[in-house]
Amino acid sequence: MATRKGQSISMIETFKEFKDTKNIDRTTLVSVLEESFRNVLAKIFGSDKNFDVIVNPDKGDFEIYRNRVVVADGEVSDQNKEIALSEAQKIEPDYEEGEEVSEPVDFAKFGRRAILNLRQTLASKILELEHDTLYNKYKDRVGQIVSCEVYQMWKREILLIDDEGNELILQKQEQIPNDQYRKGETIRAVIHQVTNENNNPKIYLSRTSPVFLQRLLEAEVPEINDGLISVKKIARMPGERAKIAVESYDDRIDPVGACVGVKGSRVHGIVREMNNENIDVINYTTNIKLFIQRALSPAKVSSIILDEENHKAEVYLKPEEVSLAIGRNGLNIKLASMLTEYTIDVFRVVDENEANEDIYLDEFADEIDQWIIDAIKAIGLDTAKAVLNAPREMLIEKADLEEETVDNVLEVLKAEFETE
């Protein structure tokens, strides 16, 4: 019997440990414990209304009392709520009919099944309470940066824990490419999404979100927190490069200079945090042509033709500027398009003499399949030099051609002019 009692007290101690680690307030703790005991009592006796449950989580103990009304011998109709006079007088000789008898209950005497039932009820309540606490802690913190410890690493996600031992998730697609993690190290990420499906909260983090970059910038640049500078737009290719458009509300403050810092001092820490992701900061403007021009930096644009209705822009540059505008692997033009929300097509500026020496694509039908010529003409390129002046990436993506096919076309066209 002593063993069973020890088991029941042990349950309270376990819950007390939970309270200490999960920072559950005392009122909630007592309420959950009392409700758990009452659920078991109701299953055993059919009702718990005539029981008093007193829980003291600080000491790790509890008391249970059953209250029954004294009735005449032979008139007991409910043994849980009534007690015969002769039985009551064994407890106290002066009890009379109609009085209430309150007697302590040894929970351990209910047997192993009752104790197991209580454990299961407690476990269920603890889990529910833990879920509620976790969800309430993070539900309104989406977009904030947190520091967490790497706990477990898998192929598709990393499990992290916060300073209270709560579990957070960093999925593979939210990790910066080439990030290296070690168990026990602390990393920073932004709270990306909080879900609570079937009362099972999950906290998802991100290091690839533009919001992560914005929060890092806000932490490094006091003028942003002071409201003197605003981050208007961000475009990222995580781990590679990012473009940020900023605006100053004080004419005396250069927003780009303030964000970059002296010799890049402010942006350097952010670059290191994001695995050496290069950051370009430009001045924001509502003038779309000027905004596109700035977004394509460091290339110098000669002219721009806008199609505002379809959010498209034809950008013309001198031949030596084209590669700068496109960037390595097309990164610069992709980020410029993301930042400005315009589809940008880049063209070389061709002088009049070169234009007169051009050749229509149809004349190459003996060397290039007609369906390929038609696919290229469908995107507005009718001549050999127009194709040669267009970015290779544009021919692949917009004409929907294989890289090998495009390279073959370019070789044929180049050979024609080299022969000349």
Side-chain angles (χ1 to χ4, degrees), residues 135-369:
Y135 180 68
N136 290 331
K137 177 180 179 179
Y138 283 104
K139 67 177 181 178
D140 298 322
R141 295 182 61 192
V142 173
Q144 294 182 17
I145 283 185
V146 291
S147 294
C148 302
E149 180 183 319
V150 176
Y151 183 72
Q152 188 70 52
M153 292 172 286
W154 294 293
K155 186 175 181 180
R156 295 188 178 182
E157 63 185 28
I158 294 176
L159 183 66
L160 307 123
I161 54 173
D162 64 11
D163 53 4
E164 293 180 358
N166 295 308
E167 296 180 353
L168 302 94
I169 301 168
L170 181 63
Q171 295 176 305
K172 184 69 176 178
Q173 66 268 25
E174 301 300 331
Q175 299 170 26
I176 296 174
N178 300 321
D179 263 349
Q180 298 292 325
Y181 303 105
R182 292 184 300 275
K183 186 174 181 178
E185 76 172 326
T186 300
I187 65 171
R188 288 197 289 176
V190 70
I191 300 170
H192 183 57
Q193 185 182 20
V194 178
T195 65
N196 194 28
E197 189 174 340
N198 298 322
N199 195 33
N200 183 24
K202 291 188 181 296
I203 317 303
Y204 295 99
L205 305 182
S206 175
R207 285 172 55 81
T208 62
S209 166
V211 179
F212 181 52
L213 173 52
Q214 181 169 343
R215 294 292 176 264
L216 291 174
L217 199 62
E218 290 169 353
E220 292 290 336
V221 184
E223 291 86 347
I224 296 178
N225 273 329
D226 294 340
L228 301 174
I229 295 175
S230 173
V231 178
K232 303 298 288 185
K233 289 188 176 183
I234 293 177
R236 284 187 70 190
M237 298 295 286
E240 294 285 344
R241 193 171 176 182
K243 286 182 181 286
I244 306 170
V246 293
E247 184 177 31
S248 173
Y249 297 118
D250 187 331
D251 292 340
R252 296 168 297 177
I253 297 175
D254 169 24
V256 174
C259 291
V260 174
V262 179
K263 295 183 179 179
S265 58
R266 287 180 172 177
V267 84
H268 180 69
I270 300 174
V271 170
R272 190 170 58 250
E273 173 71 45
M274 298 194 306
N275 205 359
N276 295 321
E277 184 174 315
N278 292 321
I279 298 175
D280 299 334
V281 185
I282 66 170
N283 278 305
Y284 176 77
T285 175
T286 54
N287 182 325
I288 298 299
K289 284 189 176 182
L290 182 56
F291 192 35
I292 291 173
Q293 182 177 323
R294 290 173 178 173
L296 286 171
S297 176
K300 295 179 181 178
V301 177
S302 298
S303 63
I304 299 175
I305 298 175
L306 285 184
D307 178 355
E308 294 188 30
E309 183 178 347
N310 296 307
H311 272 230
K312 291 183 178 181
E314 291 183 0
V315 177
Y316 294 87
L317 309 98
K318 292 180 179 179
E320 63 271 18
E321 299 292 333
V322 171
S323 60
L324 288 175
I326 295 171
R328 183 170 58 88
N329 297 324
L331 210 56
N332 197 56
I333 193 169
K334 286 178 184 176
L335 286 170
S337 292
M338 291 165 62
L339 194 71
T340 61
E341 297 178 5
Y342 265 70
T343 300
I344 300 174
D345 294 328
V346 172
F347 298 93
R348 292 177 175 82
V349 176
V350 182
D351 63 35
E352 194 171 329
N353 290 331
E354 288 184 8
N356 291 335
E357 298 172 358
D358 210 346
I359 304 170
Y360 284 107
L361 284 182
D362 289 323
E363 296 186 32
F364 293 89
D366 58 335
E367 296 179 81
I368 303 172
D369 291 342

Side-chain angles (χ1 to χ4, degrees), residues 18 36 56 72 74 102 117 127 151 158 178 232 235 257 261 269 274 302 309 335 359 382 387 394 397 401 408:
F18 171 81
S36 297
N56 188 344
S102 181
N117 197 337
L127 186 60
Y151 183 72
I158 294 176
N178 300 321
K232 303 298 288 185
M274 298 194 306
S302 298
E309 183 178 347
L335 286 170
I359 304 170
D382 297 322
V387 174
M394 188 178 104
E397 292 178 12
L401 297 172
N408 182 59

